[in-house]
Amino acid sequence: MDLFVSISCPQCGAQISFEEESTVIHCTYCGSSLHVTGRSGVIRHYIEPRENVRQMKKALGAVLKGLNADKALIGEKRLCFAPYWRIKGMVYRWIFGKDASGRPVKELKAKHLDRSFPAYHGIDLGLRSLGIRPGALTLPFFDRGRMSAAGSIMKADLRLKDAVNSDAMLRDVGLDETNVQVYFERTRLLGERYGLIYFPFWIMRLSLGSASRIVIIDAVANTVTRVLTQAQWQDMRGQKERGRPPVDFGNVSFIAFKCPNCGWDLPLNRFDVIHFCHTCKRAWITREGRFRAVKFHIADLPRQTGQEVVYLPFWVCQAEIHTSGQVLKTGGELQEFVNPYRPAG
């Protein structure tokens, strides 16, 4: 499930949206193309509140009915943005074992993982997961100024490593093998991405004569998630941990999508990582908010080619092994190091 991100075009100010995996975006209003940079850390988004007065009154009426109260006064109403971790990736699980008849079993199972859970401690706002809503809404990037003007921002005090450990316990869900005697299994999450989504809640204090209640309202669905006494609310606030998390937040920015060498527009392929300039024949990748040149080679073609040629990109990875005072750079050097006493011939 990809999120749709909403921003104001840095060139003309028009509102545009794009898939979160896009590396290049295009503004249909002013025609400018921009490259997205700065995704090295945890990316933060937020969901804007959708206040529906009629739906909110209906939800509060149900609360009063449950409390056997005819009416109440709203003593306080404020908006807060609560952080939720979002983890996305593909889970792969190898299973080796035997089935009920004794035949060997070797299976590779896979599933798409996309889940969210609270990134705060102590206070239970009644919403343990955001479900599919982040994928159904258009989310702006985290904007402290705009969010603070609307309400308060809760600290994310569940650290990244704790979020990773919490997620590891649920990776096998849906990949269990019930009819196999498992001898060996290995589960891995690949291509994982961690982000924070700040979800809006209304916190209302209802005065019921001499008593009062704290009502938590989902500020998107406008439904009540929790009803607390004043004592319960104070107890939760007292339990909340207030340490800041050691999280490296990414600062998303945009640069002009033009070749740094010749200035011509680069091909507009939204999900490409490397961009090839057809004018000056150079390749570019973004690093630290700038375009960096990428070395590349093109394989020689056969002499007779009567068909259209399609070039497929392949990464070439080079590594060195430093061991026992030696540096091994090739497969032959590694083989000779492992078995130096091979018989000749």
Side-chain angles (χ1 to χ4, degrees), residues 141-196:
F141 286 117
F142 181 88
D143 186 331
R144 183 173 296 278
R146 188 172 180 180
M147 295 165 65
S148 297
S152 59
I153 304 172
M154 292 177 57
K155 292 181 179 179
D157 47 24
L158 178 65
R159 297 174 298 174
L160 177 59
K161 69 175 185 179
D162 295 329
V164 174
N165 293 335
S166 172
D167 172 67
M169 295 185 294
L170 296 176
R171 292 180 187 174
D172 290 345
V173 175
L175 298 178
D176 299 328
E177 187 58 72
T178 57
N179 298 320
V180 173
Q181 183 180 359
V182 178
Y183 295 148
F184 173 82
E185 66 86 17
R186 182 62 58 87
T187 304
R188 288 289 185 270
L189 175 63
L190 301 179
E192 64 269 30
R193 293 184 63 177
Y194 299 89
L196 281 172

Side-chain angles (χ1 to χ4, degrees), residues 13-83:
Q15 202 71 15
I16 56 177
S17 61
F18 55 93
E19 297 104 320
E20 63 175 330
E21 299 292 343
S22 298
T23 58
V24 182
I25 61 175
H26 180 73
C27 178
T28 56
Y29 297 93
C30 65
S32 61
S33 297
L34 302 167
H35 195 287
V36 185
T37 66
R39 282 174 162 158
S40 57
V42 173
I43 302 301
R44 295 177 291 176
H45 301 90
Y46 75 99
I47 296 178
E48 295 178 323
R50 297 186 171 188
E51 188 172 8
N52 185 317
V53 176
R54 182 178 178 182
Q55 183 69 23
M56 195 178 295
K57 286 182 178 180
K58 183 178 179 181
L60 291 175
V63 170
L64 294 178
K65 184 177 180 180
L67 296 173
N68 295 319
D70 295 331
K71 59 182 180 179
L73 296 176
I74 298 179
E76 181 185 2
K77 175 187 173 185
R78 59 189 177 91
L79 184 71
C80 75
F81 292 91

Side-chain angles (χ1 to χ4, degrees), residues 290-308:
R290 295 177 56 191
F291 280 117
R292 306 286 185 180
V294 179
K295 294 181 179 180
F296 66 94
H297 300 279
I298 299 177
D300 292 334
L301 293 174
R303 291 189 175 181
Q304 59 178 49
T305 56
Q307 298 180 349
E308 181 183 359

